[in-house]
Amino acid sequence: MFGFLLPLPWLGERAARIAIAALTAYAVLPILRNTYAGIKGIDPALQEVANALGMTGMQRLRKIELPLSSSFILAGIRTATVTCVGIATIAAAVGAGGLGEFIFRGVASVDNRLVLAGAVPAALLALGADFSLGLLERALRVPGRR
């Protein structure tokens, strides 16, 4: 993805723009896929009840579908976050900086300590983000739903 974005004149001028665009593109798919699966997995009887109560489509989405599918949506956000933390280290290859610079410098100079100086914090950041979003997912879970 980074290689495809480099030649674009309005984007390829700054490495940070390339990194942000690529990471956003990588994050969109798991979030959208899980959101779609969560909303489609809701019992149709609940949707019929919402319609019978006279709810509009937006009210049904906000009051029934999103709360019931929140665990799916947060699972997609967790997946996207962990993936983006890992992929962000590769952004150093296009000059975007970050922990990937330590990894690339360490590989180039065959210095395992330098590789670990970039890889260990990146792994800890991914694990910390996953753990934190897992706690948020449990806190937002609808009671009585498994």
Side-chain angles (χ1 to χ4, degrees):
M1 180 69 79
F2 295 115
F4 288 130
L5 296 175
L6 272 173
L8 297 178
W10 53 274
L11 195 63
E13 299 168 357
R14 299 206 44 221
R17 288 184 195 158
I18 293 173
I20 290 169
L23 293 173
T24 301
Y26 278 118
V28 166
L29 181 64
I31 294 170
L32 285 180
R33 181 180 290 159
N34 280 27
T35 301
Y36 179 79
I39 290 174
K40 285 296 178 188
I42 293 173
D43 186 11
L46 291 173
Q47 295 172 342
E48 288 179 29
V49 168
N51 289 337
L53 290 173
M55 288 186 174
T56 65
M58 203 56 164
Q59 287 174 327
R60 189 179 72 206
L61 178 70
R62 203 176 82 245
K63 294 182 179 184
I64 294 174
E65 293 172 349
L66 286 179
L68 289 176
S69 62
S70 64
S71 62
F72 283 91
I73 296 168
L74 280 169
I77 292 171
R78 280 175 76 180
T79 302
T81 301
V82 172
T83 301
C84 283
V85 168
I87 293 174
T89 58
I90 300 171
V94 294
L99 293 170
E101 281 197 28
F102 294 116
I103 297 170
F104 283 110
R105 279 192 216 154
V107 169
S109 63
V110 192
D111 184 1
N112 289 337
R113 291 178 295 152
L114 205 52
V115 172
L116 290 175
V120 170
L124 290 175
L125 183 63
L127 290 172
D130 183 55
F131 179 75
S132 300
L133 288 171
L135 291 176
L136 180 64
E137 185 179 340
R138 279 187 219 103
L140 294 177
R141 185 173 291 147
V142 175
R145 180 143 193 241
R146 291 182 183 191

